[in-house]
Amino acid sequence: MSYEKEESIAIQACLQAAKLTERVRSKIPKAIEKIDNSPVTLADFGSQALICYHIHSAFPDDPIVAEENPKELLKPERAGDLKQIVDYVKEDNKDVDEKKLIEWIGYGNGRVSERFWTLDPIDGTKGFIRQDQYAIALALIVDGDVKVGVMACPAYGNDGGLLFYAVRGKGSYTQSITSYDTTIPTRIHIVANNDQNTFRFTESVESCHGDQTKQNEIAKRIGIQTPPIRMDSQVKYGLVANGEAVLYFRFPNPHRQDYRENIWDHAAGTIIVEEAGGKVTDMDGKPLNFRDNEKMLHNRGVIVSNGIIHDQVLEVLKS
């Protein structure tokens, strides 16, 4: 399959969501604390509503596995938040009301299947709140393989943000978010770089999201002497795909060894890096499993590389 329609719908949905999230981000975003104590903003729900609406309208038989649950907005104390999200979404879709908004967000509560979409409406919510990096990440998965990936990164660079997208077998591309309709896409290739003095690696800002001590030790053992680039969200995949970093580590936190990654935190970034010539595996060298569950239960940690030094990293880990 060419997946041309899927790619086009996914790109337009993410671009529209990016406009909404930036409208919210221009104000001080109000964070809602979820049951698991992680933050969620009005923009998370608005982004999920818009994207799920577009995907469901074009592909009504495709389940969508997304991060947010509309039940958060059905609590009596959230009535004001619900109305405010409707007002944001109305700027892009005049027909929305509170009932439709809840329905659209709920489209994202599908299950992993033979063919499905996975969505993180705002990956890196803490970065979003800090006015820093975040990504809107959407991917189509068929038989466990990511076929289409789109990442809108509105805070990336100095020109209104960057859109990354890829289709399996057709390469990875970038375009400006703000001038998407008037610019030509740029195909990205990871260029071989043998100068270890310029090697950089990237990791999460949040120390609880990984094992920064171990990640820094592995980086030093393979010759990386420069400090890591720390940022939120799957934008880190974009750094590797763009050649700004040679590695992205996400090792299990030593205090949370039983933690497993969510598929929506890695699916879109994975295909973008792989189609640019890089490599993505877990710490044991296994491909990331997007087939069985919304959690990657059979993977331990994540290693994203330019492809050239991947085997070296795995060998150092074994030792």
Side-chain angles (χ1 to χ4, degrees):
M1 288 185 63
S2 66
Y3 297 104
E4 288 182 9
K5 181 180 178 181
E6 287 86 346
E7 178 189 28
S8 176
I9 296 293
I11 287 173
Q12 293 304 320
C14 287
L15 287 172
Q16 193 173 104
K19 291 178 183 177
L20 181 147
T21 59
E22 285 297 277
R23 288 199 299 270
V24 178
R25 200 167 77 118
S26 67
K27 305 176 176 66
I28 298 174
K30 180 179 180 180
I32 301 168
E33 194 169 274
K34 295 191 287 188
I35 295 172
D36 62 0
N37 297 321
S38 62
V40 59
T41 70
L42 306 182
D44 292 74
F45 289 114
S47 174
Q48 180 160 319
L50 280 174
I51 292 173
C52 286
Y53 165 73
H54 284 290
I55 296 299
H56 181 77
S57 297
F59 310 103
D61 295 329
D62 289 358
I64 307 169
V65 181
E67 182 172 16
E68 307 305 341
N69 192 313
K71 289 181 180 178
E72 294 283 345
L73 294 173
L74 295 176
K75 300 171 184 176
E77 64 269 25
R78 302 298 184 208
D81 295 326
L82 180 58
K83 182 180 183 303
Q84 195 170 351
I85 297 167
V86 169
D87 289 341
Y88 278 120
V89 176
K90 266 189 173 178
E91 295 187 40
D92 298 290
N93 194 308
K94 303 296 183 185
D95 295 329
V96 71
D97 55 25
E98 292 183 4
K99 183 179 178 181
K100 285 183 179 179
L101 184 86
I102 293 296
E103 180 182 353
W104 293 357
I105 296 170
Y107 289 152
N109 297 150
R111 295 182 178 274
V112 171
S113 63
E114 185 176 314
R115 172 184 159 122
F116 71 99
W117 298 80
T118 188
L119 165 68
D120 195 334
I122 290 187
D123 184 22
T125 302
K126 290 183 179 179
F128 175 82
I129 294 170
R130 289 197 311 270
Q131 304 289 317
D132 209 334
Q133 295 295 335
Y134 72 99
I136 298 162
L138 176 66
L140 172 66
I141 298 170
V142 181
D143 294 330
D145 185 39
V146 187
K147 298 297 186 183
V148 178
V150 179
M151 286 198 316
C153 307
Y156 190 107
N158 301 311
D159 190 28
L162 202 60
L163 181 77
F164 293 87
Y165 56 96
V167 175
R168 182 65 69 195
K170 296 187 176 180
S172 290
Y173 296 84
T174 60
Q175 276 182 265
S176 166
I177 290 177
T178 54
S179 57
Y180 175 81
D181 293 329
T182 59
T183 57
I184 298 172
T186 299
R187 185 165 185 172
I188 50 177
H189 301 274
I190 298 175
V191 179
N193 177 8
N194 296 318
D195 183 4
Q196 290 187 328
N197 293 321
T198 64
F199 279 7
R200 300 291 301 274
F201 79 98
T202 182
E203 61 183 1
S204 177
V205 172
E206 306 290 332
S207 59
C208 64
H209 287 176
D211 185 345
Q212 290 185 347
T213 300
K214 187 171 187 176
Q215 289 161 192
N216 277 268
E217 177 62 26
I218 296 299
K220 287 179 181 177
R221 290 195 185 190
I222 64 170
I224 299 177
Q225 303 299 324
T226 49
I229 305 168
R230 288 180 175 157
M231 59 174 55
D232 301 277
S233 83
Q234 284 178 74
V235 175
K236 296 186 284 293
Y237 278 92
L239 257 65
V240 176
N242 248 353
E244 297 177 58
V246 295
L247 278 172
Y248 162 33
F249 289 127
R250 194 173 173 100
F251 295 164
N253 185 296
H255 304 294
R256 301 174 65 195
Q257 288 291 335
D258 59 341
Y259 177 80
R260 291 298 180 268
E261 299 288 337
N262 299 306
I263 57 174
W264 52 72
D265 288 326
H266 297 281
T270 293
I271 188 172
I272 288 164
V273 166
E274 290 177 343
E275 286 295 313
K279 191 169 183 178
V280 183
T281 70
D282 67 7
M283 295 170 67
D284 301 311
K286 297 187 298 185
L288 302 190
N289 187 329
F290 301 119
R291 181 188 300 272
D292 298 329
N293 194 280
E294 67 179 39
K295 291 277 188 182
M296 297 189 298
L297 300 176
H298 307 295
N299 293 120
R300 188 173 61 97
V302 177
I303 300 171
V304 182
S305 82
N306 61 2
I308 302 163
I309 60 174
H310 206 94
D311 290 343
Q312 183 184 359
V313 173
L314 291 174
E315 285 300 316
V316 171
L317 267 173
K318 287 179 184 178
S319 65

